Structures are given as C-alpha cells and as structure tokens.
Amino acid sequence: MMKLSLNQTGVTEFILEGFSEHPSLRLLLTGCFLSLYMMALMGNLLIIVLVTFSTGLQNPMYFFLCNLSTMDIVCTSSVIPKALIGLLSEENIISFKGCMAQLFFLALSASSELLLLTAMAYDRYVAICFPLHYSSRMSPQLCGELAVGVWAIGAVNASVHTGLMSRLSFCGPNIITHFFCEIPPLLLLSCSPTYLNSILTLVADVFFGGINFMLTLLSYGSIISSILRMRSAEGKRKAFSTCSSHLIVVSVYYSSVFCAYISPVSSYSPERSKVSSVLYSVLSPTLNPLIYTLRNKDVKLALGRILASFSH
C-alpha cells in the first residue's frame, strides 16, 4: 500500500522499496548484507591502521590505498545500515533530509573513488615506466595535493547534485524503487522540471566515468607496453604483480558503476540498478581489502608484525 506524507510543500519522507518484492529472500539478504558490511568495515579499518602505523607502508601507493579504504567505509556505511533496517522492518521510511544526506555521501564516495583510482593508476605508471624518478615525481607533497583535490572535487560534485535535488518538488508518489536514495529514481518521482539535473548527471557521468576511465586505460596501456619491453622474466613478473591488485579493483568498480549509472534516466531499470549497486556499494568495499592484503607481500608482512606485537 502506497503511503504519502505531504505538507504544504510536498513530500517530507520517502519509502525505500528495497527488496520488498522478494519477501522469501529477506532472511538470506539480511545475513549476506550484515556479513559483507562487517567484513568491509573490519577490512578497511585494518588497512587504515596498517598504513598509519607501519613504517614499511609509508609510500604513495599505500597512502592512496588508505584514502580508498576511507571512501569505501563512507560508501558502505551510508547504504547498508539503512538497507538492513528495511530488510528487518515492514516499511523502510527515510526523511527527506535523511535521503539528501545519503545521496550526498554516496555521490562523494563514488565520484572521489573514480578520481582516486585514476591517481592510483598514474602512481603505478610512474613507478613502472619511470622507476628512477619515482620518489621525486611522486613526492609526499604532490600525493597530499592529489588526495585533497580528489576529496574536494568529490565534495563539490556531491554538493551540486544534492543541492539541485533538494530544490525539486516532490508532490506525488514517494516510493523509491531502490534500497537507498540515488539520482535516477528520485528524478522519476519529481513533479518539477528535472532537465538541469539530468544534464549535470550526464556531465558527471562523462567526467567521472568516461574521462577518468580513459585516463586509467592510458596509464595501463603504457604500463603493459613498458612491461612487455622488459627483457627479464623476473622483472616482468615483479612489475605486473605491483599493479595487478589495482587492475582487479578498477575492473570490479568500473563494471558495476557503468552498469548502474551510464544510462539515461528514461531507461532506468530498478532491478538492474539494485544488482549493480550491490556490486559497488557492498561487494567492492568488501573485496578491496582482501585483494590488496592477499596479493601484497608488504601488507601481509605489516599485518604479521602487528599481530606479533600483540602476542608478546
């Protein structure tokens, strides 16, 4: 049953549809979401602790990895707790302000992560293609400036989209066909013109999804070309192992983001969007720490040292 909460200006709260159309899966989804959220939270916090306190991880790659883990915590924490409430209750209501806050933090983490993955690809490009100039090119000052720039651009993007969304009128149906507040289903509910929102969403898709993707491909094209020119098989293996983790993370994240967002609002599919959103908001933040810890000797060594210090 559809419930409307209206005041003189329109809707004051929304109902998140979530996975209510699959009641038989409620218990299974609750268990999966809770497990994945705990793994994502613990895994990313572990990465932050390791990078912060381990002297062997004080280089640009791990500095960026620490930022990536922070973004993953922001992303998954803005989505999963509310989704779990929806799975455990009959009706998942979110206030208008709560919806805008969720939209802001999701847009912040998603756009910042796409920028950061580009910065990380550039870091690997310099490390493999210009190893002798790596420490001078990727100075702590430049890395700090890149990180500040990534967060600042992400925050501006999130503020623009949230500000434009909060100015729209919502005067009719208030059921969001998703398990969190995101741009396409909200635009479909608005009873005021959404032309500017749609245009800026497309601009953001092109910049964050398209241009950053091309820059990342350019970095990896140069990296692969450089690796293939190496004469030593050991050198090739070592060079590839330093960037394989990042390549896996980029592949998983971009696949899910393209599936979720790179399509016009008019062709929005709730079911497809829910599945792809689970990939980037739940699965990707859970897998990232596993990919980086299981495939990285330095991280495993740092983890071993910290565990050894606790056992004494």
Side-chain angles (χ1 to χ4, degrees):
M1 182 182 169
M2 186 171 72
K3 173 190 164 189
L4 296 180
S5 295
L6 306 172
N7 61 14
Q8 291 175 344
T9 57
V11 172
T12 58
E13 59 186 36
F14 294 102
I15 297 169
L16 294 167
E17 183 186 71
F19 302 94
S20 56
E21 71 272 33
H22 304 295
S24 58
L25 296 175
R26 183 171 282 190
L27 199 62
L28 175 66
L29 286 168
T30 302
C32 287
F33 272 38
L34 186 60
S35 303
L36 289 169
Y37 181 54
M38 294 312 294
M39 283 173 68
L41 212 55
M42 288 189 290
N44 284 295
L45 282 171
L46 179 64
I47 293 280
I48 292 167
V49 168
L50 286 175
V51 172
T52 305
F53 295 104
S54 300
T55 51
L57 302 180
Q58 300 300 312
N59 69 39
M61 185 172 84
Y62 299 112
F63 170 72
F64 290 133
L65 180 57
C66 191
N67 278 271
L68 182 69
S69 289
T70 307
M71 288 168 190
D72 280 341
I73 290 171
V74 171
C75 179
T76 197
S77 296
S78 62
V79 171
I80 305 306
K82 192 64 183 164
L84 284 169
I85 291 168
L87 287 165
L88 295 169
S89 57
E90 287 300 310
E91 205 170 54
N92 194 9
I93 295 169
I94 186 167
S95 69
F96 185 85
K97 285 182 179 178
C99 188
M100 292 304 108
Q102 192 177 56
L103 180 66
F104 174 84
F105 285 111
L106 266 171
L108 169 67
S109 57
S111 55
S112 298
E113 189 149 338
L114 290 168
L115 286 168
L116 186 68
L117 290 174
T118 306
M120 291 173 83
Y122 176 71
D123 170 68
R124 293 298 84 211
Y125 161 73
V126 175
I128 289 165
C129 299
F130 304 97
L132 298 177
H133 302 285
Y134 180 66
S135 56
S136 59
R137 281 204 182 187
M138 298 303 292
S139 65
Q141 184 184 348
L142 176 67
C143 293
E145 287 168 358
L146 281 172
V148 169
V150 162
W151 283 101
I153 295 169
V156 168
N157 176 64
S159 300
V160 168
H161 286 295
T162 309
L164 285 173
M165 190 66 73
S166 63
R167 290 168 66 90
L168 295 179
S169 298
F170 297 88
C171 33
N174 67 337
I175 296 180
I176 297 171
T177 55
H178 213 300
F179 61 94
F180 59 80
C181 292
E182 72 164 358
I183 293 168
L186 278 168
L187 292 184
L188 292 173
L189 292 179
S190 175
C191 56
S192 56
T194 59
Y195 180 74
L196 183 58
N197 297 70
S198 299
I199 289 294
L200 285 174
T201 300
L202 184 62
V203 169
D205 285 348
V206 169
F207 175 69
F208 291 102
I211 293 174
N212 279 284
F213 183 62
M214 294 308 294
L215 289 171
T216 303
L217 281 183
L218 196 64
S219 291
Y220 273 99
S222 302
I223 287 167
I224 291 165
S225 173
S226 181
I227 290 173
L228 292 175
R229 287 199 303 270
M230 289 178 182
R231 292 177 183 176
S232 140
E234 176 63 22
K236 284 181 180 179
R237 189 199 62 77
K238 190 177 179 182
F240 185 73
S241 71
T242 64
C243 60
S244 58
S245 299
H246 183 248
L247 199 53
I248 294 167
V249 168
V250 166
S251 303
V252 171
Y253 197 75
Y254 269 104
S255 301
S256 55
V257 167
F258 280 153
C259 192
Y261 289 113
I262 310 300
S263 62
V265 172
S266 55
S267 65
Y268 174 74
S269 164
E271 286 304 305
R272 186 191 68 187
S273 185
K274 284 178 194 177
V275 172
S276 50
S277 295
V278 166
L279 289 175
Y280 84 81
S281 67
V282 186
L283 205 58
S284 184
T286 308
L287 290 176
N288 288 355
L290 291 173
I291 293 166
Y292 278 106
T293 51
L294 295 177
R295 296 182 60 86
N296 191 297
K297 284 181 183 177
D298 294 335
V299 175
K300 283 194 271 191
L301 278 170
L303 181 59
R305 285 195 202 99
I306 284 186
L307 290 174
S309 68
F310 278 114
S311 62
H312 288 308

